[in-house]
């Protein structure tokens, strides 16, 4: 298979005219040559933080605080999840996964509620789809064993030393929320030596120093932070010290659209368009241990092709800024997963 157009090549997303040659699901070559296509070829997205179970309760909870919305065990989200039957839950998650796939997301790192049964439910929801959920079980070590790792709520909710130890011994991924509401749970979260942190809206200088020393990656979710009114992370300061990725967080409060997340991130955080696109692609892929996120030989061919001649994109002078700040679902020509 060959894909032609303006190719956003490598980690810097250098725009080159040419074609991407795909063989057996892998990028075999990126050839710079004259082509007639107006397409923009870029890596498919990796959504580094989702809660897809919330698909059963989109836009619920107007006026509630973050704790009232999602704090375990009795936040609105958790009450609604307990009330939902399995078929409703699976169907809701499958619909969100289909939407993500159709809008260019190759993989998602999912914090999956419901223990072992919750892990099985998302596996059922994803069956037959091209999108690859990296599932982090929650609540029990058994859920971690059934999944790709463990996704902890936050160090103020419980002590996760046992779960962290078991996850490390299993050689799996461990992520934890930290610094979303305030700074009080950041140090104990970092003490667990997680594979990544989520949010980090409120780091203090000591936390930034620790990040510089440990280089623990951080997943930012700016739309979620705006909706829950907890503030915005100091993205530039975090980026100076560690790797940043991008996630859409709860489907209850935001659609799982990486286009929307990138556009907001580029406009409210002090980050360049290439930085934001790396957050939405290769950085999330590397946190999750995936071999995608870049258009270069040897990477898995998880690719997004945009119609550069759409009414929205025609006349674009900077294709990287266009993908990050302007493009949307209506510009998608093809998704290769």
């Amino acid at each position: 298979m060959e894909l032609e157009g303006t190719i956003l090549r490598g980690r810097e997303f250098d725009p080159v005219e040419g074609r991407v040659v795909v063989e057996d699901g892998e990028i075999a070559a990126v050839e710079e040559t004259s082509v007639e296509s107006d397409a923009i070829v870029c890596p498919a997205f990796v959504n580094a933080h989702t809660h897809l179970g919330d698909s059963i309760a989109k836009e619920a909870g107007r006026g509630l605080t973050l704790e009232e919305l999602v704090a375990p065990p009795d936040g609105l989200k958790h009450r609604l999840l307990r009330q939902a039957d399995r078929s409703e839950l699976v169907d809701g998650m499958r619909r969100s996964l289909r939407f993500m796939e159709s809008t260019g997301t190759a993989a998602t790192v999912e914090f999956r509620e419901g223990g072992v049964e919750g892990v099985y439910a998302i596996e059922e929801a994803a069956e037959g789809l091209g999108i690859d959920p990296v599932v982090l079980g929650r609540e029990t070590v058994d859920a971690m064993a059934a999944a790709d790792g463990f996704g902890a709520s936050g160090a103020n909710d419980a002590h996760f030393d046992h779960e962290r130890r078991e996850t490390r011994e299993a050689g799996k991924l461990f992520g934890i929320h930290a610094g979303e509401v305030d700074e009080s749970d950041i140090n104990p979260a970092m003490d667990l030596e997680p594979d990544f942190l989520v949010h980090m809206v409120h780091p203090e200088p000591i936390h930034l120093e620790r990040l510089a020393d440990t280089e623990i990656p951080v997943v930012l979710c700016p739309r979620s932070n705006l909706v829950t009114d907890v503030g915005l992370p100091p993205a530039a300061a975090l980026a100076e010290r560690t790797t940043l990725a991008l996630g859409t967080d709860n489907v209850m409060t935001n659609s799982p659209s990486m286009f929307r997340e990138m556009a907001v991130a580029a406009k409210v955080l002090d980050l360049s368009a290439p930085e934001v696109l790396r957050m939405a692609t290769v950085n999330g892929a590397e946190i999750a241990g995936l071999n995608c996120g870049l258009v270069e030989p040897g990477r898995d061919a998880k690719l997004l092709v945009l119609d550069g001649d759409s009414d929205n994109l025609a006349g674009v002078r900077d294709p990287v800024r266009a993908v990050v700040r302007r493009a949307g679902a209506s510009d998608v020509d093809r998704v290769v997963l």
Side-chain angles (χ1 to χ4, degrees):
M1 177 174 61
E2 296 183 355
L3 303 173
E4 295 186 344
T6 298
I7 301 160
L8 304 188
R9 182 174 63 185
R11 197 171 290 267
E12 298 302 319
F13 307 110
D14 298 316
V16 299
E17 184 180 4
R19 65 175 63 92
V20 180
V21 181
V22 175
E23 296 177 357
D24 298 323
E26 183 178 287
I27 298 174
V30 179
E31 300 174 347
E32 191 168 351
T33 186
S34 178
V35 297
E36 295 184 0
S37 175
D38 293 312
I40 300 171
V41 183
C42 60
F45 307 125
V46 175
N47 191 332
H49 184 63
T50 55
H51 294 273
L52 295 179
D54 299 6
S55 300
I56 63 168
K58 297 167 185 170
E59 305 307 322
R62 178 192 296 183
L64 299 183
T65 66
L66 177 64
E67 290 83 356
E68 291 169 334
L69 278 171
V70 300
D74 293 318
L76 175 63
K77 157 186 165 171
H78 296 279
R79 299 199 308 272
L80 293 173
L81 286 174
R82 286 196 292 270
Q83 295 167 9
D85 62 39
R86 179 185 172 83
S87 62
E88 179 186 8
L89 180 65
V90 170
D91 181 66
M93 291 192 294
R94 186 171 181 82
R95 284 175 175 268
S96 288
L97 287 165
R98 283 205 310 254
F99 169 81
M100 295 166 75
E101 179 179 12
S102 69
T103 52
T105 296
T108 182
V109 181
E110 162 70 2
F111 277 41
R112 184 79 286 278
E113 294 85 6
V116 173
E117 286 304 313
V119 174
Y120 293 158
I122 193 167
E123 289 175 349
E124 181 179 339
E127 188 174 351
L129 300 181
I131 186 172
D132 180 22
V134 177
V135 181
L136 304 188
R138 307 186 73 183
E139 301 155 17
T140 68
V141 168
D142 287 342
M144 176 277 294
D148 300 302
F150 191 87
S153 56
N156 287 344
D157 296 330
H159 297 291
F160 292 102
D161 301 83
H162 173 62
E163 291 84 354
R164 180 64 184 113
R165 183 171 58 254
E166 294 294 319
T167 305
R168 182 181 288 111
E169 290 180 0
K172 295 185 176 182
L173 196 63
F174 184 93
I176 186 169
H177 299 76
E180 185 174 8
V181 176
D182 57 38
E183 78 289 346
S184 62
D185 61 354
I186 297 178
N187 273 330
M190 296 185 74
D191 289 343
L192 293 167
E193 299 180 351
D195 295 301
F196 65 97
L197 301 160
V198 182
H199 292 302
M200 289 294 281
V201 176
H202 300 285
E204 296 190 341
I206 183 61
H207 307 126
L208 295 175
E209 290 178 15
R210 291 191 70 181
L211 274 181
D213 291 339
T214 62
E215 297 184 341
I216 299 171
V218 176
V219 179
L220 304 186
C221 307
R223 283 191 303 153
S224 174
N225 300 152
L226 288 169
V227 169
T228 58
D229 198 28
V230 297
L232 287 169
L238 293 169
E240 289 176 359
R241 293 162 173 83
T242 191
T243 299
L244 300 183
L246 202 60
T248 60
D249 206 6
N250 296 79
V251 181
M252 175 188 289
T253 56
N254 287 295
S255 74
S257 166
M258 292 298 281
F259 285 119
R260 291 191 177 187
E261 202 69 39
M262 288 192 300
V264 169
K267 292 170 184 176
V268 303
L269 304 178
D270 186 17
L271 299 170
S272 69
E275 287 176 302
V276 172
L277 189 51
R278 276 190 291 274
M279 290 168 64
T281 55
V282 63
N283 290 358
E286 291 178 348
I287 288 172
L290 304 174
N291 186 39
C292 59
L294 290 179
V295 185
E296 61 181 17
R299 294 278 179 165
D300 292 346
K302 310 290 187 181
L303 300 168
L304 171 62
V305 182
L306 300 175
D307 178 5
D309 193 41
S310 70
D311 290 342
N312 183 41
L313 297 182
V316 156
R317 301 298 179 89
D318 185 331
V320 177
R321 279 175 59 90
V323 171
V324 169
R325 300 170 67 97
R326 176 178 295 272
S330 63
D331 302 306
V332 174
D333 178 69
R334 183 177 182 184
V335 180
V336 178
L337 301 178

